[in-house]
Amino acid sequence: MKDAMPASRPRRRTSTLPQMQVARVTLPDEIYRQIKTMILDGGLIPGELVTIQGLATAFGVSAMPVREALQRLTAERALTVISGRSVGIPEVDARRLTDLSRVRVEMEGLAAEWATPHVTAADQAKLQNLVTVMATAAEAGDTRTYVRANHDFHFTVYAASGSETLLGTIEGIWLQVSPYFHLLHSSGNYLAANEEHKLILKALQDGDAKACAQHVREDITSATRVLLSLLP
C-alpha cells in the first residue's frame, strides 16, 4: 500500500518591512536586537518570511551583519531557514506548544509574584493605558497593535521583578511562542485575555502578589488552550 501523500502547506507571503535605523558601532548586535524586538512585538507573524537582502536594505547595511544576527536567532529557535536566503517563524506543534506553556506558567507566575511589591504608580498608569489600547485593538481587529501592547503589558510587569535572569528566560520563550498570538483574534481570546489583564492590574494595585501570579497563569493557560485547538 502506497504511503499517503503529505498535505500541501500554504505558501508563505513575503513580509513588508519598514525602513529601520541602526547604530553602526556593533551592527550584528543592534540588528539582532531590532529583529528580536520585531518578533516579540508582532512584526513578523507565522506564514510570513523575510529575506536577508530585504533586511539588509531595511537596515541600510550589507548582508553580512544580517546573516550574523539571523544565525543567533535561528540558534534560539526564534526563526527558521525557509530557503537559503530567507527565514520565517518556525512551525510549532501541540507537544512543543504545551512544553513552552508549562514553563511559561511557572516562570511568568513567579516573575509576577516578585514584581508585585515593586510596581510603581507610573508602571500602573502605563499598564492601564495598555489595557485600553488592547481593548480598542481587539474591537478593531488590529492584531499587530494588540500583540505589541500585550507584550508591553506583560514585560512591564515582569521587569519590575528585578531579576534579569528570569526576564531573559521569559523573553527567550516568548521569542518562540508570541508570533502565534496572532492566531487568537478570531477565537475571541483577545477580549477574554484583556479581562485577565484587568485582574492582573487590580492585583498589582492591591499589592496581592499571589492573586497577580494566579491571573498571569490563567491568562497563559486559557490562551494555550485556544492555540492548541487552532493548530493543524
Side-chain angles (χ1 to χ4, degrees):
M1 184 176 185
K2 294 183 178 180
D3 292 337
M5 292 293 289
S8 60
R9 294 175 178 172
R11 294 183 63 183
R12 293 173 179 256
R13 63 184 183 278
T14 301
S15 176
T16 302
L17 299 169
Q19 193 68 30
M20 295 175 274
Q21 300 295 321
V22 294
R24 295 184 178 274
V25 183
T26 55
L27 277 176
D29 287 343
E30 179 64 11
I31 292 170
Y32 165 82
R33 185 189 67 79
Q34 290 208 31
I35 297 175
K36 182 170 72 171
T37 299
M38 181 174 70
I39 296 168
L40 289 169
D41 282 356
L44 185 60
I45 67 178
E48 290 185 342
L49 59 82
V50 291
T51 64
I52 293 174
Q53 188 55 53
L55 286 165
T57 300
F59 285 119
V61 299
S62 68
M64 186 176 294
V66 172
R67 286 196 185 95
E68 291 183 36
L70 293 179
Q71 285 173 356
R72 291 175 63 182
L73 289 163
T74 53
E76 293 172 358
R77 303 180 74 171
L79 294 172
T80 189
V81 176
I82 306 301
S83 67
R85 297 178 179 272
S86 62
V87 296
I89 300 298
E91 293 184 4
V92 65
D93 58 23
R95 181 173 176 274
R96 178 80 183 140
L97 178 61
T98 300
D99 184 40
L100 290 168
S101 297
R102 287 175 62 191
V103 178
R104 286 188 64 205
V105 164
E106 298 301 325
M107 295 295 99
E108 294 177 43
L110 183 61
E113 189 170 343
W114 287 0
T116 301
H118 307 292
V119 169
T120 65
D123 291 332
Q124 292 178 18
K126 179 181 179 180
L127 293 169
Q128 181 61 66
N129 180 64
L130 289 167
V131 166
T132 302
V133 169
M134 282 185 278
T136 302
E139 292 289 350
D142 186 349
T143 59
R144 286 186 187 269
T145 296
Y146 186 97
V147 171
R148 186 178 302 115
N150 179 67
H151 167 264
D152 289 348
F153 181 93
H154 282 270
F155 278 82
T156 296
V157 176
Y158 304 154
S161 70
S163 173
E164 291 185 7
T165 301
L166 189 54
L167 196 65
T169 300
I170 293 170
E171 186 177 79
I173 298 171
W174 270 61
L175 277 171
Q176 299 176 61
V177 73
S178 64
Y180 285 88
F181 295 165
H182 285 276
L183 303 179
L184 294 169
H185 175 260
S186 60
S187 70
N189 174 262
Y190 283 0
L191 295 173
N194 215 27
E195 292 303 312
E196 288 293 347
H197 296 151
K198 293 175 185 177
L199 294 172
I200 292 167
L201 177 56
K202 177 66 165 56
L204 290 169
Q205 292 167 336
D206 293 342
D208 191 338
K210 295 296 184 183
C212 184
Q214 183 59 31
H215 289 304
V216 165
R217 294 186 182 108
E218 288 173 1
D219 184 25
I220 296 167
T221 301
S222 61
T224 301
R225 189 182 307 116
V226 175
L227 279 175
L228 286 170
S229 72
L230 296 174
L231 291 179

